[in-house]
Amino acid sequence: MVKRIVILGSTGSIGKKTLRVIDALNSSLVARPVRSKSSTSNGTRGPSLEKEKTKYEIVALTAHSSVELLAEQARRYKPKFVAITNADYFEQLSSAVGDLDVEILSGPDSLIEIAQLDQVDIVLTAIVGAAGLPAVLAAAQAGRQLAIANKEPLVIAGELLTKAVRENGGTILPVDSEHSAIFQAMQAGSREEVSKIILTASGGPFRKATVEDMRNVTLEEALSHPVWDMGPKITIDSATMVNKALEVIEAHWLFDMPVERIEVLIHPESIVHSLVEFVDGSVIAQLGEPDMCLPIQYALTYPRRVAGLSKHLRLEEIGKLTFERPNLKTFRALPLGFEVVRTGGTAPVVFNAANEAAVQEFLAGKIKFVSIVELVEDCLNKHNVKTSVSLEELLEADAWARREVRTKVHKSIRA
Ligand code: NDP
Ligand code: MG
């Protein structure tokens, strides 16, 4: 069997890990357990292993401006299509892969074409930010099976996106580790039997910090995540805990769960990736090493499990797993996240867009770390929320919030 894969954002942290997972799945490294003839006394699967039979074929890869890496990936994986969304790099990409049998597309709209290609089994979305929305929506409208890492489109257009998936016979498999954990734990009961879901969070580099401590945080400190190695935007989001707020909204849409039944728990070891509580009081969790290769692989091999790259957990070496409540006073982003889901309409899009713009300013060294969430809150306070919105209105609210943040930052720099 062959599974044909499109990776949107193949040059980023998730994109590169996905290619590593695919390499392992296609190589003899990976074996899957089969029921042994001499099954064990309790009837569980025996130890014999068989090679993974599915071949994973790359149909298309995309990048924004990492032209050299994209060309290298094209040479290695021989996709039928490559797309560079920043059209300034088209010539450079064309000359770098000119000898290959590959169609080269460019510009933001090229992603829509790639997302809707025929004869594709999985579209894995690993673009960062709202920029991934048109492509993921196009894939949903084409009834594709989506493996979603790129959470921002779900945050800003969760209703439209999940509706498009339902109406066109598609599916969504979560790649985000917490949502993959919830998806796996949910299989222990029926949807009606779930009483709540509990998202875990590492707490990021400033878990123990006070508001005062955070005033002097440097870019370098904010980019040093204690557990996860990720792209810059999500690393900053983890430090502010905006990431967890985005994940609450993501969980709300993915699992059709009212926010009143979503909780966040700080778990610094990042071993328990999230938990589902059922009506009888049973709590089912998914555990594993903090390594994105596992949730990526599960989204690719689902509904099967195969041995893979992830190191197996040795709880006796970890010894202790700890949990604590998040500090909602220090990490204002978290209550704001819950609030914007309750408000609905354009509130989540403003929350996300203001954050994307503020993180960009922080990464460019123009604002302080604490200003990120202050700018987001300020933007939400100024915004007149529209309920029941079209895609155009969502995009307008997105553009408005980005303008607001930029104007405010530039005014404060001039002052
Ligand atoms: P990166 O910044 O590492 O990679 C982003 C990818 O998107 C790159 O391929 C980049 O291309 C491309 N890209 C950037 N801007 C645009 C644009 N305007 N249009 C089209 N493509 C663009 O991000 P991550 O891999 O860390 O994160 C990707 C998504 O996955 C995010 O939504 C994040 O929240 C989510 N996620 C990430 C996790 C992680 O461990 N990293 C864990 C869970 C979720 P180029 O290289 O050319 O810039
Ligand atoms: Mg996550």
Side-chain angles (χ1 to χ4, degrees), residues 50-278:
E50 180 181 291
K51 251 176 80 174
E52 162 69 346
K53 290 210 175 83
T54 306
K55 278 281 164 209
Y56 293 81
E57 199 177 287
I58 304 290
V59 178
L61 297 171
T62 84
H64 187 56
S65 50
S66 299
V67 69
E68 282 170 18
L69 181 55
L70 182 62
E72 218 176 276
Q73 292 178 343
R75 201 159 287 285
R76 176 156 181 188
Y77 296 96
K78 305 198 168 29
K80 292 195 174 66
F81 300 84
V82 285
I84 190 96
T85 42
N86 183 340
D88 295 346
Y89 291 92
F90 176 74
E91 294 300 332
Q92 204 181 324
L93 182 62
S94 302
S95 58
V97 298
D99 59 323
L100 302 180
D101 182 18
V102 61
E103 193 166 323
I104 307 161
L105 308 175
S106 72
D109 287 349
S110 63
L111 289 181
I112 295 177
E113 197 174 325
I114 298 276
Q116 295 196 318
L117 286 172
D118 283 333
Q119 295 177 335
V120 166
D121 297 296
I122 301 176
V123 177
L124 188 135
T125 71
I127 286 171
V128 62
L133 175 62
V136 72
L137 201 52
Q141 283 158 350
R144 294 286 172 268
Q145 179 163 322
L146 286 157
I148 296 191
N150 180 203
K151 65 193 80 176
E152 294 88 349
L154 265 169
V155 168
I156 63 190
E159 191 170 357
L160 287 176
L161 199 48
T162 49
K163 189 163 172 261
V165 169
R166 271 196 315 275
E167 287 178 352
N168 295 288
T171 45
I172 301 182
L173 290 166
V175 171
D176 211 350
S177 57
E178 296 78 358
H179 305 75
S180 175
I182 294 164
F183 179 70
Q184 294 178 58
M186 285 261 190
Q187 292 165 34
S190 73
R191 178 66 187 74
E192 294 68 39
E193 291 162 354
V194 172
S195 55
K196 67 177 175 193
I197 59 186
I198 304 161
L199 288 166
T200 54
S202 71
F206 310 126
R207 179 168 62 90
K208 300 270 188 205
T210 61
V211 177
E212 224 22 67
D213 297 333
M214 291 211 287
R215 293 207 183 281
N216 300 315
V217 158
T218 63
L219 179 57
E220 199 188 353
E221 286 165 336
L223 282 172
S224 315
H225 196 280
V227 186
W228 297 95
D229 172 24
M230 310 176 284
K233 192 259 178 183
I234 185 176
T235 304
I236 301 302
D237 287 352
S238 300
T240 56
M241 288 203 71
V242 165
N243 183 51
K244 210 47 56 178
L246 298 176
E247 290 185 354
V248 167
I249 310 174
E250 182 186 9
H252 165 70
W253 289 114
L254 279 178
F255 305 109
D256 189 21
M257 187 65 58
V259 272
E260 291 68 31
R261 293 206 272 139
I262 303 179
E263 275 180 24
V264 173
L265 256 191
I266 303 294
H267 168 48
E269 295 83 8
S270 296
I271 296 294
V272 177
H273 295 304
S274 277
L275 313 92
V276 175
E277 185 197 81
F278 289 88

Side-chain angles (χ1 to χ4, degrees), residues 332-363:
R332 280 286 303 145
L334 212 43
L336 279 179
F338 278 93
E339 205 178 304
V340 297
V341 193
R342 283 192 204 97
T343 309
T346 48
V349 71
V350 167
F351 177 78
N352 179 71
N355 177 62
E356 282 192 29
V359 170
Q360 241 173 26
E361 300 289 355
F362 175 66
L363 289 172

